[in-house]
Amino acid sequence: MAKFPEPEKEINDVLICMRCKARNSKTAKACRKCGAIYLRKKRKQAKAK
Ligand SMILES: [Zn+2]
């Protein structure tokens, strides 16, 4: 059961702000929310603890 019907390709094409964790498009040069330039790619596989 998928609670979040997000297409995987969309998840892979996203950048995560390292400051506020906001999602930005992969073409973004700065966070659209807080303006930080520290963006990282979101990994498909989450590290299981
Ligand atoms: Zn941000």
Side-chain angles (χ1 to χ4, degrees):
M1 279 264 210
K3 288 184 179 179
F4 305 99
E6 292 175 290
E8 282 190 19
K9 65 175 182 177
E10 188 174 311
I11 295 177
N12 290 333
D13 286 350
V14 87
L15 292 174
I16 303 297
C17 174
M18 292 178 69
R19 185 193 273 176
C20 73
K21 306 290 197 299
R23 291 198 298 179
N24 298 271
S25 70
K26 70 175 181 179
T27 56
K29 290 177 180 175
C31 175
R32 60 186 165 90
K33 195 172 182 182
C34 72
I37 60 171
Y38 306 107
L39 305 174
R40 63 171 171 83
K41 289 181 183 176
K42 184 176 181 73
R43 291 189 175 229
K44 187 177 179 182
Q45 288 183 318
K47 219 172 188 180
K49 282 187 178 178

